[in-house]
Amino acid sequence: MITATPPTRHHSPAHTWQQDLADAVTSADELLALLGLQPTDVALDPDAAGFPLRVPRGFVARMRPGDPHDPLLRQVLPLALEGRPVAGFIDDPVGDSAARRAPGLLQKYHGRALLITTEACAVHCRYCFRRAYPYAQQVDPVARWDSALAEVAADPSIRELILSGGDPWSLSTGRLDALTRRLRGIPHLARLRIHTRQPIVLPSRVDRALLDWLAGLPWQRIVVVHANHAQEIDADVAAALTALRDSGATVLNQSVLLAGVNDSADALVALSERLLSAGTLPYYIHLLDRVRGAAHFEVDEARARQLLAEIATRLPGYLVPKLVRESAGEPAKRAIAAGWPAT
């Protein structure tokens, strides 16, 4: 077994990840006060109760005080723009409901299926494509994934299972271990992929127990984290990402192209370079999933092509993420090539 060293904490060494999670900021007024801002500095959404603010304090600590346009703040602060109806922005922009094979199990693409393990996340990103997902209707926690796992076991074409959510690492390590013990009985599984934002927003989650669990899994392990801006990756996050890699996992990053956050070549170059320094390779950069409430984040495809063409001239190929769009009903994510010259 590969033994990885848990990262040294710089902010709250005495806290467990559960304590850090419970201590998250859930009030817009408190968040603004922590940054020395006033409610009059931003136009807040008065009706954000359906998708409330939630952000760990360690993530807040990486925001620039006094800057209402900080790229990390913009990702989590509910703005009045969310209430503006925009044609084409809907509750299920990527066709999750149509892809449901069993409670909590989605399959869109050949050879792999996705298990929605929990609705819980450490952070509520305002552009989240599952912000309106009907978890209570489509995931039955009492069933303990019985029907979903039975469906996977009965289909030998499924070679890869993706743990998603919510965030699967919102579950305790004991619960994760109980799940993966059941997966060991499915002989055709070759890979386990985990989609998680926890190492970025809550690096204390990457503790000894999690690393031991990850290192002990019998499959190829791919951990796909989610960072959108280099400012998100401080020393604690870099240490967590390095520890995941040292546990034997392949660690990749996917991001979303977001107006006012990372829609510049300088920001995207800095993100790729910061990821590499933490042992993580850029994987995808997604065009915005057109979920209701997120239209103010959209960067159009022509501008996205220009940005990718520019960063391709400034970075080696392995640091240029694939620009993609996910569309309901398509058999794969659609790759969007950078034009030469950009158009």
Side-chain angles (χ1 to χ4, degrees):
M1 177 185 296
I2 297 172
T3 301
T5 302
T8 301
R9 304 294 168 212
H10 293 82
H11 299 302
S12 54
H15 284 195
T16 65
W17 69 269
Q18 292 95 334
Q19 290 171 314
D20 290 338
L21 185 61
D23 196 34
V25 177
T26 57
S27 160
D29 287 343
E30 181 185 5
L31 175 57
L32 294 173
L34 288 169
L35 298 171
L37 294 168
Q38 300 296 323
T40 52
D41 293 327
V42 293
L44 293 173
D45 181 1
D47 300 313
F51 188 54
L53 181 147
R54 182 178 184 86
V55 57
R57 293 177 189 273
F59 195 73
V60 176
R62 298 171 229 160
M63 298 176 186
R64 294 190 293 258
D67 183 1
H69 304 294
D70 176 82
L72 277 60
L73 175 64
R74 184 170 172 81
Q75 294 179 57
V76 301
L77 189 66
L79 299 177
L81 288 168
E82 294 185 22
R84 177 171 58 96
V86 178
F89 284 78
I90 59 177
D91 286 343
D92 184 10
V94 297
D96 277 350
S97 296
R100 181 177 181 265
R101 282 189 61 168
L105 186 72
L106 308 179
Q107 186 173 22
K108 299 179 184 180
Y109 309 134
H110 177 75
R112 52 212 185 271
L114 183 147
L115 183 66
I116 295 183
T117 57
T118 176
E119 66 182 64
C121 281
V123 64
H124 290 173
C125 302
R126 307 314 302 176
Y127 53 87
C128 178
F129 69 93
R130 289 201 181 114
R131 56 181 288 170
Y133 188 81
Y135 290 98
Q137 300 172 26
Q138 300 211 29
V139 181
D140 182 5
V142 178
R144 299 183 181 274
W145 310 302
D146 285 351
S147 57
L149 298 189
E151 189 79 10
V152 174
D155 186 349
S157 73
I158 298 176
R159 300 274 293 160
E160 178 174 314
L161 187 66
I162 303 166
L163 304 187
S164 185
D167 193 309
W169 283 354
S170 296
L171 299 175
S172 70
T173 304
R175 190 83 192 278
L176 292 167
D177 184 59
L179 170 60
T180 52
R181 285 181 184 278
R182 297 183 65 184
L183 294 178
R184 288 172 187 256
I186 302 177
H188 50 268
L189 282 184
R191 296 180 299 277
L192 187 71
R193 194 193 324 173
I194 299 158
H195 285 186
T196 176
R197 192 140 156 79
Q198 300 272 37
I200 305 298
V201 302
L202 195 78
S204 56
R205 179 64 185 98
V206 183
D207 58 10
R208 166 56 60 201
L210 184 77
L211 291 168
D212 287 348
W213 166 77
L214 188 63
L217 296 175
W219 312 279
Q220 289 181 311
R221 290 139 288 154
I222 303 96
V223 176
V224 182
V225 299
H226 175 185
N228 296 312
H229 194 278
Q231 189 177 318
E232 298 178 42
I233 305 173
D234 66 0
D236 285 342
V237 173
L241 295 174
T242 300
L244 291 171
R245 181 198 62 190
D246 290 347
S247 76
T250 298
V251 186
L252 307 172
N253 181 71
Q254 60 181 348
S255 55
V256 182
L257 189 59
L258 300 167
V261 174
N262 58 8
D263 57 334
S264 74
D266 286 346
L268 295 174
V269 167
L271 174 60
S272 284
E273 291 182 335
R274 187 74 182 104
L275 287 165
L276 182 64
S277 71
T280 300
L281 283 177
Y283 171 40
Y284 281 149
I285 183 162
H286 293 260
L287 291 176
L288 181 73
D289 294 320
R290 306 188 91 202
V291 67
R292 192 187 315 276
H296 56 292
F297 286 112
E298 187 166 48
V299 178
D300 68 47
E301 187 171 314
R303 174 60 177 155
R305 288 174 179 269
Q306 291 174 344
L307 288 170
L308 266 290
E310 182 172 348
I311 69 170
T313 68
R314 296 171 58 179
L315 292 171
Y318 58 84
L319 287 184
V320 180
K322 295 178 183 177
L323 177 65
V324 296
R325 183 187 291 282
E326 182 172 356
S327 299
E330 293 190 359
K333 292 180 176 65
R334 178 164 59 89
I336 299 170
W340 299 98
T343 57

